[in-house]
Amino acid sequence: MSDLLSGPVEIVGAGLIGTSIALACRRAGVDVLLSDASAEHLRTASGLGAGRAKEPGEVAQLVVVAVPPDHLGEEIAAALDAAGEDTVVTDVGSVKAAPLEAVSGHPAAARYVGSHPMAGSERSGPLAASADLFTGRPWAVTPHAGAAATAVRRVTALVETCGAVPVMLTPAEHDKAVARTSHVPHLVSSLVAGTLAGAAPEHLALTGQGVRDVTRVAGGDPALYSQIIGGNSDAVASLLREVRDRLEMALEAISEGDRVGLESLLAHGVAGTRAIPGKHGGPLQPVAAVHVAVPDHPGELARLFADVGGSGVNIEDVRIDHDPGRPVGLVELDVAEGRAEELMGALESKGWVTHR
Amino acid sequence: MSDLLSGPVEIVGAGLIGTSIALACRRAGVDVLLSDASAEHLRTASGLGAGRAKEPGEVAQLVVVAVPPDHLGEEIAAALDAAGEDTVVTDVGSVKAAPLEAVSGHPAAARYVGSHPMAGSERSGPLAASADLFTGRPWAVTPHAGAAATAVRRVTALVETCGAVPVMLTPAEHDKAVARTSHVPHLVSSLVAGTLAGAAPEHLALTGQGVRDVTRVAGGDPALYSQIIGGNSDAVASLLREVRDRLEMALEAISEGDRVGLESLLAHGVAGTRAIPGKHGGPLQPVAAVHVAVPDHPGELARLFADVGGSGVNIEDVRIDHDPGRPVGLVELDVAEGRAEELMGALESKGWVTHR
């Protein structure tokens, strides 16, 4: 238990995120009070050991508002109204400027500090919760100008209790950051995916790993993402206009046969991929890909990874690319450049078919 | 050795693709003649066992033109000029209408049938070649209206000799298909990646797996992709205009707070992700993700996959998501829906920390 977070912690909204935070707090020995509009969610979360239903009159040290995006503002304000004079209130919404606006005139606004864990699941509800959901993930903490220093420290203590890595940003900076790292990529991925809807199946037979990667996030729940993206409209629209302008440039370069212009746009994209932070927050390390053909039945991956482990070469990333026509998978192992030959030699000596 | 492809096969251009085809033919016992403008490439490919340098006057049964996109037309025409009257000519370029146009007036055009293997590597040159590069991959065969049936059969035999899966398309259909499944996704991925270039590092600290997936293909060589995309300008421009129009719709919906319109665009994207062919060409199976925390040093992945293998649950896909701040990785294991609980139970009994 942290000195700064001795509890009780109140969780408003016992869904996936709220219940996961509750479980992480309970594991750290912190008392947790739960509230939810759904009696069933409350019962489920309590049953999982996430805490006990809040009794009238109980006062928490920290209230965590974990309700859907469109209800954040009202619930944060309600928590500030009801809380004790030392109670700190945070929320875990994906957008930070809009909920802040809803409470900025509140007399207790200094005790509100927004936050946003960069973790989730394709499932929802308390049954999908886990105390480990946030382990090692970035978690933005977004104090406004009038936030009390003690409030910031208490919210940061919650992040650390959950095993996450705090990233300090102003609310406006946060919203610009997630527009760039999440909302616009999601939206554009969805536009690319949309071009596949209704396409001829014999054309889609040529689908490779590239387009699968580009469109993977587009499979997310449209109702949830329209709330998230719609709640960050200014930052998203501004960046999306930049993308639109560059798309027009690409269209012009392609239509006019301007290869130099097209190449320069593509080179700008390469520069962007290199700006993404690498493993463990360090600079991106150059990796080499080794491909291995693996029969598609249980046990073969285990045998492969046992042989990889025996080689002593550490794997930076793994991908499985399934064949269109036969029961064999191609596994791509990304390793540090300069170790690829060593790994291939080790695997081939064990009978694996590899290529780069 | 196939009855339809007894050899010799001539490979024009001993780079990654040409040398890989040569190695696959040699493995099948087919005689291979190599030619390349670079004496060094020729020496390297021969040294790898990919075949022998072509002597003047030798006539091949099948010529495979595997030169850079901008030189395909002239090299295919030259091959038809030089070939015997039974020689079939194919090429392996990423675009099919443009090279066909260059030879459509040729008296021997009936003996030309284009093709396009959907395989590659981030490396190039004969040293990166492998006889297994095409195993299980789609390989488009694109006969034009005047192509001879024997020519189509011989090119299809080459595809099968290389272990790939033939997909028959007209040249125009092929180019529309790859605009949709490859060129436009690559270009749009590059535009998203471009928004990350020069972004504030503290904003990029919030980068998650989603944007990494969306921008992964954008890391490809700009010079090569500007040739490929530029060589398919009509199909790419036409589809890119559709994307532009939908992007404008998204921008309007976001600017006007039209959540219903935004949700409908996102739902169209979900429909597109579901249109992508699933494992082994079958329909996409619903999968569930299980996350496992894995210490980041050699041997741990082997231990994990041994335990996964022991569980008897087959893994459909694997991803490694590195933490920003600590030496532990989160491994995502995708399994058939309904097997996730079983896998989690098996792994937790071995001491792994899992969540969905």
Side-chain angles (χ1 to χ4, degrees):
Chain A
M1 194 186 303
S2 157
D3 288 349
L4 291 162
L5 191 71
S6 50
V9 168
E10 179 184 346
I11 305 289
V12 180
L16 167 70
I17 301 289
T19 306
S20 295
I21 295 171
L23 289 168
C25 287
R26 290 297 306 127
R27 186 171 58 183
V30 175
D31 192 21
V32 174
L33 314 176
L34 300 167
S35 59
D36 196 297
S38 151
E40 196 192 326
H41 271 194
L42 208 51
R43 237 181 355 255
T44 304
S46 297
L48 292 169
R52 58 193 169 82
K54 188 194 176 196
E55 302 288 338
E58 283 190 293
V59 175
Q61 188 190 31
L62 174 67
V63 179
V64 180
V65 178
V67 299
D70 283 349
H71 299 282
L72 282 173
E74 62 194 88
E75 289 293 342
I76 295 166
L80 285 173
D81 288 343
E85 61 184 21
D86 290 330
T87 302
V88 169
V89 176
T90 188
D91 73 303
V92 294
S94 313
V95 172
K96 300 270 60 95
L100 176 62
E101 222 168 273
V103 297
S104 63
H106 198 285
R111 291 190 277 106
Y112 165 68
V113 173
S115 80
H116 176 205
M118 310 304 290
S121 163
E122 83 287 4
R123 297 173 72 209
S124 58
L127 273 174
S130 163
D132 297 298
L133 188 64
F134 310 105
T135 308
R137 299 279 189 178
W139 185 324
V141 177
T142 62
H144 58 92
T150 51
V152 178
R153 283 199 294 270
R154 199 170 295 159
V155 173
T156 307
L158 173 74
V159 171
E160 287 163 351
T161 297
C162 292
V165 181
V167 178
M168 304 295 292
L169 290 167
T170 67
E173 274 174 354
H174 167 275
D175 288 358
K176 282 187 195 162
V178 291
R180 199 177 290 272
T181 60
S182 172
H183 303 170
V184 165
H186 187 107
L187 200 51
V188 175
S189 167
S190 179
L191 294 173
V192 173
T195 67
L196 305 176
E202 67 271 26
H203 290 193
L204 293 176
L206 300 186
T207 300
Q209 196 56 41
V211 66
R212 285 174 211 262
D213 283 350
V214 173
T215 59
R216 182 175 167 116
V217 293
D221 176 21
L224 176 63
Y225 280 95
S226 83
Q227 273 193 48
I228 292 174
I229 294 170
N232 195 18
S233 52
D234 287 352
V236 170
S238 157
L239 190 61
L240 201 54
R241 274 186 213 103
E242 280 182 33
V243 173
R244 190 259 326 266
D245 294 348
R246 281 189 172 268
L247 192 154
E248 292 285 4
M249 285 165 67
L251 201 44
E252 200 180 310
I254 290 165
S255 306
E256 293 179 359
D258 170 14
R259 297 284 179 90
V260 176
L262 181 55
E263 188 176 331
S264 143
L265 280 163
L266 294 169
H268 189 64
V270 173
T273 63
R274 295 196 177 142
I276 295 176
K279 195 174 173 182
H280 308 161
L284 214 55
Q285 299 296 326
V287 295
V290 171
H291 295 87
V292 188
V294 178
D296 185 26
H297 53 75
E300 286 301 306
L301 276 178
R303 195 164 67 80
L304 172 63
F305 282 94
D307 292 343
V308 168
S311 77
V313 177
N314 203 15
I315 302 301
E316 305 291 328
D317 210 344
V318 179
R319 288 139 49 86
I320 300 185
D321 186 6
H322 294 293
D323 304 342
R326 58 176 61 189
V328 72
L330 283 174
V331 173
E332 178 183 323
L333 303 170
D334 290 346
V335 298
E337 223 168 61
R339 305 292 303 271
E341 297 300 327
E342 184 184 345
L343 177 63
M344 290 172 78
L347 292 180
E348 298 207 333
S349 76
K350 299 283 186 177
W352 296 99
V353 174
T354 74
H355 69 87
R356 288 193 59 182
Chain B
M1 197 186 304
S2 158
D3 287 349
L4 292 161
L5 191 70
S6 50
V9 168
E10 178 184 346
I11 305 289
V12 180
L16 166 70
I17 301 290
T19 306
S20 295
I21 294 171
L23 289 169
C25 288
R26 291 296 305 127
R27 185 170 59 183
V30 176
D31 192 21
V32 174
L33 313 176
L34 300 167
S35 60
D36 195 297
S38 151
E40 196 192 325
H41 273 193
L42 208 52
R43 235 180 357 253
T44 304
S46 297
L48 290 169
R52 58 191 169 83
K54 188 193 177 196
E55 302 289 339
E58 283 190 292
V59 174
Q61 188 189 33
L62 174 66
V63 179
V64 181
V65 178
V67 299
D70 282 350
H71 299 283
L72 283 172
E74 62 195 88
E75 289 293 342
I76 296 166
L80 284 173
D81 289 343
E85 60 184 22
D86 291 329
T87 301
V88 170
V89 176
T90 188
D91 74 302
V92 294
S94 314
V95 172
K96 301 272 58 99
L100 176 61
E101 220 167 275
V103 297
S104 62
H106 198 284
R111 293 190 277 107
Y112 165 68
V113 174
S115 80
H116 177 205
M118 311 304 289
S121 162
E122 83 286 5
R123 295 174 73 210
S124 58
L127 273 174
S130 163
D132 297 299
L133 188 64
F134 311 105
T135 307
R137 300 279 188 177
W139 185 325
V141 177
T142 62
H144 56 93
T150 50
V152 178
R153 282 199 294 271
R154 197 168 297 158
V155 173
T156 307
L158 173 74
V159 171
E160 287 163 352
T161 297
C162 292
V165 181
V167 178
M168 304 296 291
L169 290 167
T170 68
E173 274 173 356
H174 167 275
D175 288 358
K176 282 186 196 163
V178 291
R180 200 178 288 274
T181 60
S182 171
H183 303 170
V184 164
H186 187 107
L187 199 53
V188 175
S189 167
S190 179
L191 295 174
V192 173
T195 68
L196 304 177
E202 66 271 26
H203 290 191
L204 294 175
L206 300 187
T207 300
Q209 196 56 41
V211 66
R212 285 173 211 263
D213 282 351
V214 173
T215 59
R216 182 176 166 115
V217 292
D221 177 19
L224 176 63
Y225 280 95
S226 83
Q227 274 193 47
I228 292 175
I229 294 171
N232 195 17
S233 53
D234 287 353
V236 170
S238 157
L239 190 60
L240 201 53
R241 273 185 212 104
E242 281 183 33
V243 173
R244 191 259 324 266
D245 293 347
R246 283 190 170 266
L247 193 153
E248 293 284 4
M249 286 165 68
L251 201 44
E252 199 179 310
I254 291 164
S255 305
E256 293 178 0
D258 170 14
R259 296 283 179 91
V260 175
L262 181 56
E263 188 175 330
S264 143
L265 281 164
L266 293 169
H268 189 65
V270 172
T273 63
R274 293 194 179 142
I276 296 176
K279 195 174 172 182
H280 307 161
L284 214 55
Q285 299 297 324
V287 295
V290 171
H291 295 87
V292 189
V294 178
D296 184 27
H297 53 76
E300 287 300 306
L301 276 177
R303 194 164 67 81
L304 172 63
F305 282 94
D307 292 342
V308 167
S311 77
V313 177
N314 202 14
I315 302 300
E316 304 291 329
D317 210 344
V318 179
R319 288 139 46 86
I320 301 185
D321 186 6
H322 294 292
D323 304 343
R326 59 175 62 190
V328 71
L330 284 175
V331 173
E332 178 183 322
L333 303 169
D334 290 347
V335 299
E337 222 168 61
R339 306 290 306 269
E341 297 300 328
E342 185 183 343
L343 177 63
M344 289 170 77
L347 293 181
E348 298 208 333
S349 76
K350 298 283 187 179
W352 295 99
V353 174
T354 74
H355 68 89
R356 288 193 58 182

